[in-house]
Amino acid sequence: WMNGQYLSRSLPAELVPLIETELAEKYGIDVDARREEVLHAIEFVRTRARTTTKVAWQTAVRLNASYIEREAKADKMIRKDPEGFRDALEKAATLLDGLDDDAWSPDQLDTALRGLAERLDLKVGKIMQPIRIALTGQTVSEAVNDLLVVVGRDESLQRIRAAQEWEY
């Protein structure tokens, strides 16, 4: 608990030296070359992590889809309604792909995704959770609109489309 408090209260720049070696050696991420992306990712993951190892892994997942590990809880949710999962991702991808680059901001993404859920007469979680799982493989993360910004437009769309093809 204390470690988690320390991480969540630290500035991202203060955490970089603690995870830089792990990012480089385990995940192949050159922090110097991608400093702004790393700092941006740390900003969001540090509040949920309890160890620097988790900060490094969650940062790596946001910067490189190959480090996504689908958790059992995510698989269970998908298996419960695979068609709903795929349909939500398809509709979200269509919506997100149609947004202008300047609309790729947390507030505008949140408004757009909530509007989509409303038009489809779905609870917001039925849209947000499939996106979260597609982007991270996890059922818990920062807000989906923030997550989309951290992962980036092109990479987010690529991950969402790839998740539509996952085997369950």
Side-chain angles (χ1 to χ4, degrees):
W1 179 84
M2 285 177 43
N3 202 43
Q5 291 297 305
Y6 172 79
L7 294 173
S8 66
R9 293 171 194 235
S10 296
L11 296 172
E14 295 170 330
L15 298 178
V16 169
L18 302 177
I19 65 169
E20 189 167 15
T21 301
E22 188 168 359
L23 285 176
E25 292 176 2
K26 188 172 183 180
Y27 301 108
I29 295 172
D30 181 350
V31 174
D32 290 332
R34 300 182 73 182
R35 183 160 297 277
E36 290 306 312
E37 292 172 281
V38 168
L39 289 171
H40 197 215
I42 292 171
E43 175 68 33
F44 291 98
V45 303
R46 68 190 166 95
T47 59
R48 287 191 164 67
R50 298 289 178 247
T51 65
T52 55
T53 299
K54 286 289 187 187
V55 172
W57 173 69
Q58 289 181 12
T59 299
V61 166
R62 279 142 185 82
L63 300 179
N64 186 329
S66 68
Y67 298 113
I68 291 175
E69 297 172 10
R70 233 170 45 221
E71 69 180 353
K73 191 173 178 183
D75 280 339
K76 182 178 178 182
M77 193 214 91
I78 295 167
R79 281 193 304 272
K80 187 175 179 181
D81 183 12
E83 292 310 313
F85 178 79
R86 282 190 182 101
D87 189 52
L89 290 179
E90 181 182 328
K91 290 194 172 32
T94 300
L95 170 84
L96 295 170
D97 196 32
L99 294 177
D100 293 333
D101 285 341
D102 8 328
W104 204 264
S105 70
D107 290 340
Q108 291 187 27
L109 287 167
D110 187 60
T111 300
L113 290 169
R114 288 179 184 280
L116 175 64
E118 188 175 314
R119 283 190 303 280
L120 297 174
D121 197 27
L122 295 172
K123 292 183 180 182
V124 176
K126 293 288 187 180
I127 295 293
M128 301 294 197
Q129 196 67 321
I131 296 171
R132 175 179 286 115
I133 292 169
L135 297 181
T136 67
Q138 307 294 300
T139 57
V140 177
S141 75
E142 62 268 35
V144 169
N145 54 320
D146 291 327
L147 181 60
L148 286 161
V149 171
V150 170
V151 172
R153 180 191 179 104
D154 293 339
E155 179 67 18
S156 292
L157 288 167
Q158 187 175 357
R159 291 183 190 194
I160 290 169
R161 289 186 182 108
Q164 292 175 17
E165 306 301 322
W166 285 348
E167 296 294 325
Y168 316 117

